[in-house]
Amino acid sequence: MKKIRWQGLITFVVLLLFVIGAWFLFVDVAIKKTIESKGAELVKAKVELADADFSIFPLGLSLTGLEVANPDAPMTNAFQVDRVALSLEGAKLLRRKVVFKEMTLEGVKLNTPRKTSGAISETLSRIPVVSKEPSEEKVKWPSFKIPDAKEILQKEKLQSLELIASFREDLQKEKEKWQSRLAKLPDKNKLGEYQKKIDRLKSGKQRGIEGILGGASEVLTLRKELSRDLNLIKTAQKELGQNMTSLRKRMAEVKKAPQEDVHRLKEKYSPSPEGMANASRLFFGKKVGNWTDTFLNWYKKLGPILERVKERKHGREVVKPTRGKGVDVRFKEQEAYPDFLIRIAHVAIEIPAGLVKGQVRNITPDQDILGVPLMYEVAGVNLTGLASLKIDGSLNHVDPSSAKDTANVLIRGYDISDMDLSSDAELPIVLKRATADLEARVTIAGETLKANSLTSLQSVNMGTPNEEETNSLMKALTSAISDMKAFDLKAEISGTIQDYDLKLSSNLDNVLKDAVKKQVKAQAVQFEKRLKSVIQEKVGGSMADLETSLGGLGSIDSELKARSHFGDELFKRSRESGSGGMKLPL
Amino acid sequence: MLRAIAKLLKVLNSETEPGQISLALCFSMIVGFTPLFSLHNFAVFLLVLVLRVNLSTFILGLILFSGVAYLLDPIFHWIGLAVLTSSGLEGLWTAFYNMTLLRLAKFNNSIVMGSFLFSMVLFVPLYFIANKMIMQYREHVLAWVQKTRIMQAFKATKLYNVFATYSRLRGGV
């Protein structure tokens, strides 16, 4: 029996041709579907492609009608591209390397409307970025109304009242303590007994040596006892004196407390021109915050394009293939090359002001293999309302452990018109016209974000729609805003790409602060007076009670003084007393 | 499905050499276990068509082994990764990695390598075991099966009618 069937060879060739034919027939559809599904996975919104055309001669790919929906605004395309032309390097393709020599993006438009929603799923929402400043709710216009002092006292605790209560309690305890101690000390009766004894000894006539010696001994005993009791009184008097000094000090502090309350509440509630120091944040904070959030959300979506997730197993680098089956193990290549690379992409973006053209080089998720970072630069061409625009920078992930991405933005002569700076009902402000120059630099190193920008606005025309302002303070503010012809705005962003701080400062803040200073000062004085009177009303009575209680301790002191004085007198007399008028050598 | 089972029975009961059936089964194991559009499978297809192996068995085997491959994927991955990351073989794999043809064969994928090695190791044993079983079946089971009441009953079924019709049309048994 024959072992070979030659017709099988023909069948194989036919089958092979059939497979190749089918591949050619369906490759365009397959590419279209792959771009749509992978793109949607990356962007978290619909990615649609009108047509894909793969050609062998010349080897390349042409995509038409690419629309990428904005995940945050599904009825808008983040961008759309009329045509993308890509030319492939065939030799590299045989080594499973998709290397595009050149990519040209024609007719790129941003933020175009969509007919259908571009949302793909509720769960695939945008990655949240926590910023601390952008929300307008967090930064409010300072209120220049004089607050109601009585209303303030209803919600605020007065420290003076707390001090009074605590002092009153301590005073009461002291009073009780001293009253009890006074009761235990030798009183007038006891001292009276000493007096009687002294009188008796003075008038008494002892006979003989025994009598004289007996009298002397009695005098000695009396004087010992009197001295001991006198000591007790004097010690108590001294201690009370010390306590009184300390209590008087506290009383002085308590007396000062209402003034401190006034000061504290004035600081907290008084209208102050310092509130205007936040004006730039109020005017531009929300806008700059929103721009930063949008930028960071798109930056995060670019992550997989910049850096592939690489694992190491058994010491070898493994890369998860796209279809998710098994892993591809990498080995050292004689000529190392990234799996995917676009050497140069020519971009032409149509913006309302005109055309922005530029180049992006080295687009690859394997920068560590290529050894060169992604570089980009775009510049405006014949723009209207914008003298010049230049953006350049690099996304450097050559060493993934110290990745650093930078962007430099330079804008000159940007005409601004009718920009709402504040929608606050009290003081709506519109930047009617201005010309802005901006220089900004953004650096993202790993997760750390640092950005700073300086915007200079010239030929400024600002105003408020409320032309007939009656409030003198608002009038001053409106006038200052209208007189302003130029100002600078500095923005500093620091933190991480997940949670950043935005600091805005401008000479606008000082101008507005100075404008309202005088009016605000007068209001503050008025508020302070009212506050003082309301606080005094509240603490006045309690303060008088304290004085009385402290006076109560004073009467104990007087009593001690009287006893001490009486005791001293007795002691003197006891020294004069002796046996039969004879002085004792004591 | 009935037609496929009928075909298999026909092949087993026919005069086709056991070697042709066994070889078809072994080739179908390679194609079934490894990812279908791998480069080496084109070579296997060529061999299947050029060598006189039984095509019906190959197609049935392909369906069977493709199904089993899904269950064995974790084992293939484990084998492939162990082999590809073995330090002793690093030089060989590096040389292969730098050869265009082998890069196209995607040998560095853990599933491709694991499933290919697994089927290559089983290739020869499967050939001899299948051969032996087919011969045993024909010698001992076939005559006995034909006489059993179940087979008699089976001959009266629609399935058997399909099988018989198919055989007649192909000029077989």
Side-chain angles (χ1 to χ4, degrees):
Chain A
M1 184 185 152
K2 285 179 184 173
K3 297 279 181 196
I4 305 288
R5 54 179 166 212
W6 291 108
Q7 64 270 38
L9 192 63
I10 297 160
T11 314
F12 178 75
V13 172
V14 171
L15 275 176
L16 200 61
L17 288 174
F18 176 77
V19 169
I20 292 168
W23 185 80
F24 266 108
L25 210 60
F26 296 109
V27 69
D28 292 345
V29 178
I31 289 171
K32 181 176 178 281
K33 294 287 171 201
T34 307
I35 289 172
E36 286 180 340
S37 65
K38 294 289 169 193
E41 208 175 284
L42 193 74
V43 179
K44 317 284 184 218
K46 269 186 192 168
V47 172
E48 287 160 326
L49 191 61
D51 193 26
D53 184 21
F54 180 78
S55 72
I56 300 279
F57 304 107
L59 193 61
L61 183 64
S62 170
L63 311 173
T64 46
L66 176 69
E67 289 187 11
V68 178
N70 185 342
D72 304 323
M75 291 308 290
T76 310
N77 282 321
F79 64 91
Q80 72 172 68
V81 189
D82 292 344
R83 185 170 174 269
V84 184
L86 300 125
S87 61
L88 266 163
E89 289 185 18
K92 295 280 185 304
L93 202 59
L94 287 174
R95 296 179 68 84
R96 289 187 172 271
K97 308 280 186 189
V98 182
V99 178
F100 294 102
K101 275 186 286 191
E102 203 172 4
M103 177 167 92
T104 309
L105 290 108
E106 293 165 7
V108 182
K109 296 177 193 85
L110 307 174
N111 299 320
T112 53
R114 287 178 61 89
K115 285 176 186 164
T116 55
S117 170
I120 46 172
S121 165
E122 289 290 320
T123 50
L124 293 175
S125 58
R126 58 189 265 174
I127 307 153
V129 173
V130 186
S131 56
K132 288 186 179 164
E133 299 301 334
S135 170
E136 201 172 34
E137 286 71 44
K138 290 177 191 169
V139 188
K140 291 265 185 202
W141 264 110
S143 174
F144 296 116
K145 281 180 187 162
I146 302 175
D148 185 332
K150 279 192 175 171
E151 266 178 31
I152 289 172
L153 291 197
Q154 274 171 5
K155 56 185 177 183
E156 286 284 348
K157 275 186 181 172
L158 284 180
Q159 281 173 3
S160 46
L161 281 179
E162 282 174 17
L163 269 178
I164 287 170
S166 133
F167 189 48
R168 186 188 288 135
E169 200 178 312
D170 291 349
L171 260 181
Q172 189 56 37
K173 277 182 194 165
E174 282 290 312
K175 207 173 165 184
E176 283 165 12
K177 186 182 100 183
W178 281 105
Q179 273 167 351
S180 137
R181 193 161 169 189
L182 192 66
K184 286 173 192 164
L185 286 170
D187 55 6
K188 277 181 183 169
N189 292 337
K190 180 88 187 281
L191 293 172
E193 278 169 26
Y194 284 123
Q195 193 173 18
K196 277 178 196 168
K197 277 185 189 173
I198 291 166
D199 288 346
R200 187 173 51 81
L201 283 169
K202 265 190 152 182
S203 61
K205 290 181 178 155
Q206 284 82 13
R207 286 178 190 174
I209 292 292
E210 280 177 8
I212 290 168
L213 287 173
S217 159
E218 203 177 338
V219 169
L220 277 176
T221 312
L222 183 138
R223 287 183 67 184
K224 240 183 205 173
E225 284 173 5
L226 179 60
S227 173
R228 190 191 65 219
D229 283 350
L230 202 54
N231 262 345
L232 284 174
I233 293 167
K234 281 188 186 293
T235 310
Q237 194 188 354
K238 199 178 166 189
E239 275 179 34
L240 180 64
Q242 283 168 347
N243 281 14
M244 288 284 281
T245 311
S246 139
L247 288 169
R248 276 195 196 101
K249 257 188 198 171
R250 278 187 69 186
M251 184 69 206
E253 279 169 21
V254 170
K255 276 182 180 169
K256 272 186 203 166
Q259 189 50 42
E260 276 166 18
D261 274 330
V262 170
H263 185 71
R264 182 174 58 86
L265 295 174
K266 187 187 135 194
E267 286 291 309
K268 193 170 174 184
Y269 292 101
S270 176
S272 152
E274 294 307 315
M276 292 312 299
N278 282 332
S280 53
R281 216 170 71 184
L282 183 83
F283 291 160
F284 301 101
K286 193 182 177 189
K287 286 181 183 64
V288 177
N290 284 342
W291 294 335
T292 311
D293 282 356
T294 308
F295 166 77
L296 288 177
N297 274 310
W298 281 102
Y299 175 79
K300 282 176 190 171
K301 286 185 177 86
L302 280 178
I305 297 171
L306 298 174
E307 212 176 291
R308 195 198 294 272
V309 180
K310 288 165 183 169
E311 287 178 64
R312 291 192 82 81
K313 282 186 178 170
H314 307 294
R316 303 220 63 81
E317 188 178 287
V318 295
V319 179
K320 201 159 196 168
T322 45
R323 63 178 182 165
K325 274 188 142 190
V327 291
D328 288 346
V329 181
R330 285 174 183 268
F331 297 93
K332 198 177 174 187
E333 288 178 279
Q334 281 159 357
E335 192 194 347
Y337 235 81
D339 287 350
F340 177 89
L341 171 68
I342 300 171
R343 286 186 193 279
I344 184 164
H346 301 282
V347 195
I349 307 165
E350 290 169 24
I351 60 168
L355 198 64
V356 176
K357 279 186 167 181
Q359 294 174 343
V360 186
R361 291 173 188 275
N362 311 319
I363 304 171
T364 175
D366 302 312
Q367 281 187 19
D368 53 331
I369 296 170
L370 188 68
V372 185
L374 183 150
M375 312 283 285
Y376 62 92
E377 55 175 346
V378 291
V381 183
N382 298 328
L383 301 171
T384 47
L386 191 59
S388 73
L389 163 72
K390 196 181 170 199
I391 304 170
D392 61 33
S394 66
L395 306 176
N396 191 340
H397 291 240
V398 173
D399 179 0
S401 63
S402 58
K404 191 178 177 184
D405 303 328
T406 57
N408 304 302
V409 183
L410 188 68
I411 294 172
R412 293 270 177 258
Y414 175 51
D415 291 334
I416 300 169
S417 60
D418 296 324
M419 181 192 267
D420 281 332
L421 294 184
S422 162
S423 52
D424 190 279
E426 277 186 35
L427 188 61
I429 293 173
V430 178
L431 181 59
K432 290 173 187 168
R433 192 167 290 279
T435 305
D437 290 343
L438 178 141
E439 273 185 62
R441 183 172 170 79
V442 184
T443 308
I444 300 174
E447 288 281 300
T448 311
L449 166 70
K450 200 175 174 197
N452 50 60
S453 74
L454 174 67
T455 312
S456 304
L457 287 103
Q458 292 99 28
S459 313
V460 173
N461 179 2
M462 276 199 291
T464 170
N466 298 349
E467 297 293 340
E468 290 176 10
E469 191 55 71
T470 49
N471 184 327
S472 64
L473 205 133
M474 289 300 169
K475 259 185 188 169
L477 210 54
T478 313
S479 158
I481 286 168
S482 306
D483 291 347
M484 183 151 261
K485 296 294 167 219
F487 66 89
D488 290 341
L489 177 70
K490 273 185 189 172
E492 272 184 36
I493 299 171
S494 58
T496 65
I497 53 174
Q498 301 294 344
D499 185 4
Y500 65 83
D501 272 324
L502 168 65
K503 280 181 193 158
L504 285 171
S505 61
S506 168
N507 47 2
L508 182 71
D509 300 338
N510 285 335
V511 171
L512 296 181
K513 201 170 106 182
D514 291 345
V516 297
K517 217 175 206 170
K518 202 177 157 190
Q519 281 85 349
V520 169
K521 206 175 173 183
Q523 286 187 343
V525 170
Q526 215 178 323
F527 173 64
E528 190 178 354
K529 267 187 192 169
R530 180 80 187 122
L531 203 58
K532 256 185 193 169
S533 111
V534 176
I535 290 176
Q536 193 53 42
E537 230 172 71
K538 255 195 158 168
V539 300
S542 309
M543 204 71 87
D545 290 347
L546 286 182
E547 295 276 12
T548 315
S549 298
L550 198 59
L553 274 177
S555 66
I556 295 172
D557 187 43
S558 306
E559 172 63 26
L560 283 175
K561 266 182 192 161
R563 288 187 196 182
S564 170
H565 181 71
F566 188 32
D568 282 341
E569 287 298 315
L570 287 175
F571 198 75
K572 263 186 203 166
R573 286 186 66 196
S574 73
R575 285 174 75 99
E576 287 161 8
S577 68
S579 188
M582 192 174 77
K583 279 200 174 181
L584 289 166
L586 300 165
Chain B
M1 189 63 196
L2 290 176
R3 192 175 286 260
I5 295 165
K7 260 186 174 183
L8 182 68
L9 285 170
K10 177 185 173 288
V11 170
L12 286 171
N13 299 343
S14 70
E15 293 303 316
T16 311
E17 273 187 41
Q20 287 175 286
I21 302 169
S22 307
L23 202 56
L25 201 66
C26 293
F27 281 138
S28 70
M29 179 179 65
I30 298 175
V31 181
F33 277 171
T34 57
L36 187 66
F37 289 103
S38 304
L39 195 67
H40 64 265
N41 280 344
F42 284 92
V44 176
F45 273 117
L46 180 64
L47 286 172
V48 167
L49 290 168
V50 171
L51 296 176
R52 284 193 175 273
V53 300
N54 190 277
L55 289 176
S56 304
T57 309
F58 176 77
I59 292 162
L60 281 170
L62 182 59
I63 295 164
L64 174 78
F65 288 118
S66 297
V68 177
Y70 281 100
L71 301 172
L72 296 177
D73 257 5
I75 296 168
F76 296 156
H77 169 71
W78 179 76
I79 295 170
L81 194 63
V83 171
L84 286 167
T85 54
S86 154
S87 52
L89 295 168
E90 194 183 334
L92 178 71
W93 302 140
T94 307
F96 279 8
Y97 198 67
N98 285 287
M99 291 162 76
T100 305
L101 189 70
L102 287 168
R103 282 300 290 278
L104 276 176
K106 230 177 177 307
F107 81 97
N108 62 318
N109 178 271
S110 59
I111 298 267
V112 174
M113 175 58 81
S115 57
F116 184 72
L117 283 181
F118 189 85
S119 44
M120 287 310 286
V121 168
L122 286 184
F123 191 92
V124 178
L126 181 69
Y127 176 79
F128 287 111
I129 291 167
N131 243 356
K132 187 89 178 160
M133 283 176 75
I134 293 162
M135 283 191 286
Q136 291 287 317
Y137 169 79
R138 283 182 181 169
E139 252 179 58
H140 307 291
V141 186
L142 184 62
W144 176 78
V145 167
Q146 297 281 15
K147 287 175 192 165
T148 57
R149 282 175 187 271
I150 296 169
M151 195 58 189
Q152 295 297 325
F154 173 66
K155 278 183 177 177
T157 62
K158 193 182 165 190
L159 175 66
Y160 187 78
N161 284 338
V162 172
F163 164 61
T165 313
Y166 184 78
S167 298
R168 271 198 302 279
L169 284 172
R170 295 288 304 265
V173 216

